[in-house]
Amino acid sequence: QRAVAGLLRTGLLVAIILALIGPSELEERPKLTSTVFVIDVSDSMSDETLDRARGALEDIWRGRGRHEVRAVTYGASAREIRPPKSANDPWPDLERLAGEGGQASDTEGALALSLSLLPDDRLGRIVLVTDGRDTRGDMLAMATNAARFGVRVHPLSVARDTPASEL
């Protein structure tokens, strides 16, 4: 009996070791991403800054490959900007909101809209372009909420001296 028990223990130990070091058949596919640019177009943002933000958006759009790139602009309210039909077409101008719409910044609302645009089967990212002068909502609370869902909010500086590596 001792010999049989010892043989069984040895066999079990060998099986466990082989299972731990054996070849695995895990297929690792690269995860596709979905990136939403969230761009403040309120009156406090300069035209030059908006032009640079649009340039950064177009650069990312052209190099996207199979990844998804979308855009949301906002002031007092947020709206999605439809992407161009092809990679060679330019993005539409980042239009300011008229009247009171341009006098406010609701980053929380814009982040909420951008989260709703991210599909579940892709790695979600948000690129935020703003001067940080919110007049409505709670940007930090919404960014924290995004993090709970695994979505990182990346601030993008569009100052003149922004290194290409930051984009």
Side-chain angles (χ1 to χ4, degrees):
Q1 276 182 329
R2 283 187 185 169
V4 172
L7 188 58
L8 286 175
R9 274 187 260 170
T10 304
L12 181 61
L13 185 59
V14 168
I16 291 172
I17 291 171
L18 287 175
L20 290 174
I21 64 171
S24 65
E25 295 185 26
L26 294 177
E27 180 181 325
E28 189 173 319
R29 292 182 297 208
K31 186 82 169 171
L32 294 176
T33 61
S34 180
T35 303
V36 180
F37 273 73
V38 178
I39 304 168
D40 183 349
V41 294
S42 67
D43 294 343
S44 65
M45 297 285 284
S46 72
D47 290 337
E48 186 179 2
T49 300
L50 293 179
D51 288 343
R52 287 193 303 270
R54 182 173 170 239
L57 173 61
E58 286 184 344
D59 289 345
I60 299 300
W61 169 256
R62 287 190 184 104
R64 75 188 184 285
R66 295 181 5 215
H67 303 280
E68 181 179 72
V69 177
R70 299 173 93 162
V72 168
T73 59
Y74 74 98
S77 61
R79 68 182 181 104
E80 181 182 9
I81 303 292
R82 296 287 176 204
K85 297 211 182 292
S86 78
N88 296 326
D89 293 338
W91 275 79
D93 289 334
L94 302 176
E95 296 179 15
R96 295 185 185 278
L97 299 174
E100 290 184 22
Q103 296 174 1
S105 290
D106 182 7
T107 306
E108 178 184 10
L111 291 175
L113 174 59
S114 63
L115 282 172
S116 74
L117 297 175
L118 295 171
D120 292 335
D121 62 341
R122 290 178 178 248
L123 177 63
R125 295 180 177 154
I126 296 174
V127 177
L128 179 61
V129 181
T130 182
D131 57 10
R133 297 179 186 157
D134 278 3
T135 58
R136 296 184 186 169
D138 187 345
M139 170 176 46
L140 185 57
M142 187 53 71
T144 302
N145 189 38
R148 284 190 205 124
F149 291 100
V151 177
R152 290 187 58 194
V153 178
H154 304 274
L156 176 66
S157 171
V158 286
R160 269 189 210 279
D161 56 353
T162 301
S165 63
E166 187 176 324
L167 300 176

